[in-house]
Amino acid sequence: DGGITQSPKYLFRKEGQNVTLSCEQNLNHDAMYWYRQDPGQGLRLIYYSQIVNDFQKGDIAEGYSVSREKKESFPLTVTSAQKNPTAFYLCASSPGGAITGELFFGEGSRLTVL
Amino acid sequence: GQSLEQPSEVTAVEGAIVQINCTYQTSGFYGLSWYQQHDGGAPTFLSYNGLDGLEETGRFSSFLSRSDSYGYLLLQELQMKDSASYFCAVNDKIIFGKGTRLHILP
């Protein structure tokens, strides 16, 4: 079945460690997005990519990095520079980005820093 | 900058109708989307308005007025399973509002 797969679902990290969250889609979508969600809050955009080998910073990109080497994959690295990384991370893809308005989300990765 | 405003919480009775409003300020506006998110889950797409007017999908309808920078989501015949958070999103970089928590009373 087509969809978006995020892994791991749960992740624990010690302070000072970098972690990479995986996001893979087989929907053949051009655009991909990473959002962060804190309890009781909305989704805040971290990075987005509208085409392979290109990505743009969102509103809260500091302390995060991404790559888009393949259309199917958009991994997110949470670096030690991110001051408060404990959150729910959501990856999404879209066939037309802003023009179609429809995002397809993965099930999310819940990161806890110990 | 970009910003979206929506009420933090709304309460309604099962079987009733509820409207969730969203006002926005943004550049490069394409349209307004609405998403539903149940606790612990991922958001799911409900509707998209690229043009002014009303879009209807079953029990859910969404409205957009570009001149007023305003939209709303209308939920009819409320069911207990509609208890969730609802987010409006602006389609430039696809920025989300903070969400409206819908409580449904039996």
Side-chain angles (χ1 to χ4, degrees):
Chain A
D1 287 352
I4 299 178
T5 302
Q6 288 188 241
S7 63
K9 192 170 184 178
Y10 297 96
L11 183 62
F12 297 89
R13 180 195 108 175
K14 293 182 179 179
E15 283 191 24
Q17 289 180 334
N18 292 355
V19 292
T20 297
L21 307 180
S22 170
C23 178
E24 302 279 331
Q25 55 103 355
N26 59 4
L27 299 168
N28 199 33
H29 289 170
D30 286 316
M32 297 188 74
Y33 304 78
W34 273 106
Y35 293 91
R36 167 182 173 141
Q37 187 174 33
D38 295 285
Q41 300 296 314
L43 286 74
R44 291 185 290 168
L45 181 64
I46 305 173
Y47 269 98
Y48 65 107
S49 169
Q50 294 176 323
I51 196 168
V52 175
N53 292 321
D54 186 59
F55 49 82
Q56 307 295 327
K57 291 182 179 180
D59 296 331
I60 57 165
E62 185 175 352
Y64 300 97
S65 66
V66 293
S67 63
R68 187 84 188 277
E69 298 176 359
K70 299 186 298 182
K71 188 175 187 177
E72 305 80 26
S73 179
F74 192 40
L76 173 74
T77 297
V78 185
T79 75
S80 57
Q82 168 51 231
K83 299 303 180 187
N84 185 20
T86 295
F88 187 44
Y89 291 89
L90 287 156
C91 178
S93 71
S94 175
I99 296 175
T100 62
E102 182 173 5
L103 292 178
F104 294 77
F105 282 89
E107 291 300 308
S109 293
R110 204 168 290 276
L111 172 63
T112 302
V113 173
L114 304 173
Chain B
Q2 301 180 90
S3 67
L4 296 95
E5 295 291 331
Q6 51 182 128
S8 59
E9 291 186 83
V10 173
T11 300
V13 178
E14 189 177 14
I17 299 172
V18 71
Q19 179 174 313
I20 300 173
N21 299 321
C22 175
T23 58
Y24 59 86
Q25 288 185 318
T26 183
S27 58
F29 181 80
Y30 288 91
L32 191 69
S33 296
W34 289 92
Y35 290 80
Q36 179 192 62
Q37 185 181 32
H38 287 99
D39 286 346
T44 56
F45 174 80
L46 293 176
S47 68
Y48 172 73
N49 292 74
L51 301 173
D52 284 0
L54 192 68
E55 294 283 341
E56 298 179 78
T57 308
R59 294 187 297 115
F60 294 0
S61 303
S62 58
F63 172 83
L64 175 66
S65 169
R66 286 173 171 260
S67 59
D68 296 323
S69 297
Y70 163 77
Y72 66 73
L73 179 69
L74 191 73
L75 295 81
Q76 302 181 72
E77 301 173 14
L78 284 172
Q79 302 175 10
M80 296 305 293
K81 67 178 181 179
D82 297 330
S83 294
S85 293
Y86 293 84
F87 297 89
C88 56
V90 174
N91 301 113
D92 180 3
K93 294 187 292 185
I94 309 190
I95 303 297
F96 283 75
K98 292 187 177 180
T100 299
R101 180 81 183 198
L102 175 60
H103 302 279
I104 299 176
L105 304 176

